[in-house]
């Protein structure tokens, strides 16, 4: 039965899950027990994701050999540059198409864990990086996980080959378990869609339709235009075959899992199908789960500036540029699970002197539209991890006089994927 089930492409199964979820949500809203499917799915993803990131990064770095060809420098530049340019695009979109929110005193959210200023966010990032790694694995603190995984990976380079092989095997085992969870994504999606329709309804989403269109439109523009230009500048080839392929292979699954972290195995498999250097993508893909957050930068910038428009506040270009830097820095520490960018909104709002009470109302609105916003944001983040990893390698090969035919590489990858 399971083999017959897996023969159907994952995308097809996901679409079937959406249709069933919509049908049950509209016709049988009282069947709340179906929501348990979504809760179990998200719970499993949240549980496995921190361990997956920790093991994959530690294993990849422990197997690194000096002198091995890699493309880390180019990948990191692409990650940080893309995050900053995404924030710039969000500011320009907010300036051209100002959006006003419907703020309600009834909107509540806890502000206990929300950073309130640039000094605090920098302090928190540095402090959290060296906190207890066991606690980080339990709570999904990906910055801490990244820090300790890198250190332990470097230390393991001096260990015996047997020890490093055991770590690699354990990492692959965690990846396989994650793959099993993803295989059952359609069942979880039935529960998630049903729950969303019952709790918010179509009116709940339409109420903030303009904001959703602004967020989604900006993310689409950034991925199809800004990121495509970045890829072209490196490869000097038509970027769109690779751009659309990464959206199909990585963006669509990430849209429904809403977690860049649990999408890591999908991206790793896609890199293997493209024939990329494992020594490079084995680290760059897990790293992108937190360091590459263009979608998060867009969300933080647009939601913050929507609050300023609602309050009748004018923002200067210099202040907007500071916001770009701020969101670019903060977004690299965004958690790799669903809704990870929303609690950074109060920090950005503080730059404009907006009170934390109002800022948390904006966060509440973010959770309302999160069904769409967070899904698209995650798709952009995860797909661009794959996009920039491939572009960095192809670009470096071109510079060294070894050009690659991207269209041919994608064709071979499609054949490998069946």
């Amino acid at each position: 039965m399971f083999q017959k089930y897996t023969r159907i492409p994952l995308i097809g199964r996901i679409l079937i899950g959406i249709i069933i979820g919509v049908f049950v949500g509209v016709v049988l809203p009282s069947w709340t027990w179906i929501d348990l499917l979504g809760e179990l799915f998200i719970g499993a993803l949240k549980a496995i994701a921190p361990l997956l990131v920790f093991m994959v990064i530690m294993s990849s770095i422990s197997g690194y050999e000096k002198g091995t060809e890699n493309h880390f420098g180019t990948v990191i530049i692409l990650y940080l540059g893309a995050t900053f340019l995404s924030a710039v695009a969000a500011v320009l979109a907010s300036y051209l198409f100002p959006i006003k929110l419907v703020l309600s005193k009834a909107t509540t959210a806890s502000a206990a864990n929300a950073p309130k200023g640039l000094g605090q966010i920098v302090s928190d990032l540095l402090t959290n990086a060296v906190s207890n790694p066991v606690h980080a694995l339990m709570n999904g603190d990906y910055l801490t996980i990244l820090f300790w995984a890198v250190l332990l990976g470097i230390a393991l380079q001096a260990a015996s080959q047997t020890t490093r092989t055991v770590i690699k095997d354990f990492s692959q085992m965690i990846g396989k378990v994650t793959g099993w969870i993803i295989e059952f994504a359609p069942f979880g999606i039935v529960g998630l869609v049903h729950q969303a329709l019952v709790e918010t309804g179509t009116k709940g989403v339409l109420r903030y339709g303009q904001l959703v269109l602004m967020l989604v439109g900006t993310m689409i523009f950034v991925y199809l235009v800004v990121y495509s230009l970045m890829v072209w500048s490196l490869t000097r080839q038509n970027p769109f075959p690779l751009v659309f392929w990464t959206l199909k292979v990585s963006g669509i699954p990430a849209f429904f899992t809403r977690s860049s972290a649990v999408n890591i195995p999908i991206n790793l498999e896609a890199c293997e199908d493209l024939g990329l250097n494992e020594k490079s993508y084995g680290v760059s893909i897990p790293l992108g789960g937190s360091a590459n957050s263009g979608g998060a930068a867009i969300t933080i910038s647009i939601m913050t500036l929507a609050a300023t428009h609602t309050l009748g506040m004018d923002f200067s270009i210099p202040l907007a540029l500071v916001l770009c830097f701020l969101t670019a820095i903060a977004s690299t520490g965004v958690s790799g699970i669903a809704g990870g960018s929303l609690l950074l909104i109060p920090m950005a709002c503080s730059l404009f002197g907006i009170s934390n009470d109002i800022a948390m109302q904006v966060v509440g609105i973010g959770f309302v539209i999160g069904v769409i916003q967070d899904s698209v944001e995650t798709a952009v983040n995860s797909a661009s991890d794959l996009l920039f990893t491939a572009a960095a390698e192809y670009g470096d090969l071109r510079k060294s006089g070894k050009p690659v035919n991207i269209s041919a590489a994608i064709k071979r990858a499609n054949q490998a994927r069946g």
Side-chain angles (χ1 to χ4, degrees):
M1 289 291 292
F2 183 73
Q3 290 179 347
K4 292 181 179 179
Y5 169 77
T6 54
R7 285 174 187 165
I8 303 174
L10 179 60
I11 295 174
R13 282 178 274 149
I14 287 174
L15 291 176
I16 293 172
I18 293 173
I19 294 172
I20 296 175
V22 170
F23 175 80
V24 178
V26 173
V27 179
L28 300 168
S30 61
W31 284 20
T32 54
W33 59 269
I34 295 179
D35 299 349
L36 180 62
L37 294 174
E39 294 174 4
L40 290 174
F41 177 60
I42 295 299
L45 293 180
K46 289 182 178 180
I48 199 68
L51 186 58
L52 173 70
V53 172
F54 180 76
M55 292 303 305
V56 168
I57 292 178
M58 183 171 63
S59 174
S60 299
I61 293 180
S62 68
Y64 173 77
E65 299 177 2
K66 293 182 178 180
T68 302
E69 181 182 2
N70 62 69
H71 314 280
F72 296 151
T74 306
V75 170
I76 291 173
I77 291 174
L78 286 173
Y79 282 171
L80 296 180
T83 301
F84 174 71
L85 291 176
S86 297
V88 172
V91 170
L92 293 176
S94 297
Y95 179 78
L96 295 174
F97 307 101
I99 298 291
K100 292 186 178 181
L101 306 175
V102 180
L103 299 178
S104 170
K105 293 182 179 179
T107 305
T108 59
S110 173
N113 297 321
K116 300 176 179 62
L118 177 59
Q120 182 180 347
I121 189 63
V122 173
S123 176
D124 288 347
L125 286 175
L126 294 176
T127 303
N128 291 338
V130 295
S131 60
N132 191 322
V134 177
H135 184 270
L137 287 170
M138 294 174 61
N139 292 277
D141 187 345
Y142 286 91
L143 183 64
T144 307
I145 291 171
L146 177 63
F147 176 79
W148 288 110
V150 170
L151 284 187
L152 290 173
I154 294 174
L156 281 169
Q157 291 178 4
S160 66
Q161 182 61 45
T162 302
T163 301
R164 284 183 285 171
T165 300
V166 170
I167 295 295
K168 183 178 181 179
D169 290 343
F170 192 73
S171 173
Q172 292 175 345
M173 179 188 69
I174 298 298
K176 181 174 290 189
V177 172
T178 306
W180 291 343
I181 296 173
I182 294 175
E183 289 292 342
F184 289 97
F187 295 95
I189 288 168
V190 171
L192 293 173
V193 172
H194 179 273
Q195 184 178 22
L197 286 173
V198 171
E199 291 183 356
T200 65
T202 55
K203 292 182 179 179
V205 177
L206 292 176
R207 184 182 180 188
Y208 304 108
Q210 286 185 322
L211 181 60
V212 172
L213 288 174
M214 170 74 80
L215 288 164
V216 174
T218 304
M219 291 179 191
I220 292 175
F221 172 81
V222 164
Y223 200 93
L224 296 182
V225 178
V226 177
Y227 290 1
S228 295
L229 288 172
M230 294 174 67
V231 173
W232 176 83
S233 67
L234 281 173
T235 64
R236 291 298 192 272
Q237 296 185 47
N238 180 7
F240 292 108
L242 184 61
V243 167
F244 288 116
W245 190 80
T246 55
L247 282 175
K248 181 184 72 173
V249 172
S250 178
I252 293 177
F255 180 91
F256 294 105
T257 62
R258 297 172 65 187
S259 173
S260 297
V262 300
N263 217 45
I264 288 175
I266 293 176
N267 282 349
L268 291 175
E269 182 182 359
C271 288
E272 181 180 358
D273 293 338
L274 284 173
L276 301 181
N277 183 353
E278 185 178 0
K279 296 292 184 180
S280 182
Y281 72 71
V283 176
S284 66
I285 291 296
L287 180 65
S290 59
N292 180 35
S293 302
I298 291 171
T299 296
I300 297 167
S301 298
I302 288 180
M303 296 289 283
T304 299
L305 295 178
T308 66
H309 291 309
T310 304
L311 298 174
M313 302 171 62
D314 294 326
F315 61 92
S316 63
I317 297 300
L319 187 59
L321 290 175
V322 172
L323 175 65
C324 292
F325 282 110
L326 183 66
T327 53
I329 294 171
S331 296
T332 60
V334 169
S335 174
I337 60 176
S341 62
L342 294 178
L343 279 181
L344 291 175
I345 291 174
M347 177 271 300
C349 284
S350 69
L351 186 66
F352 297 90
I354 298 174
S355 70
N356 202 53
D357 290 338
I358 295 176
M360 293 312 295
Q361 290 187 43
V362 179
V363 173
I365 293 173
F367 280 110
V368 171
I369 64 173
V371 174
I372 299 176
Q373 167 269 322
D374 193 49
S375 297
V376 178
E377 175 186 313
T378 307
V380 168
N381 290 342
S382 182
S384 60
D385 293 345
L386 176 58
L387 177 67
F388 291 141
T389 295
E393 181 162 334
Y394 295 153
D396 287 349
L397 288 174
R398 183 187 67 83
K399 292 178 182 178
S400 64
K402 303 175 184 178
V404 176
N405 188 319
I406 296 179
S407 296
I410 293 174
K411 184 177 181 180
R412 291 193 299 271
N414 286 332
Q415 292 174 346
R417 300 176 70 86

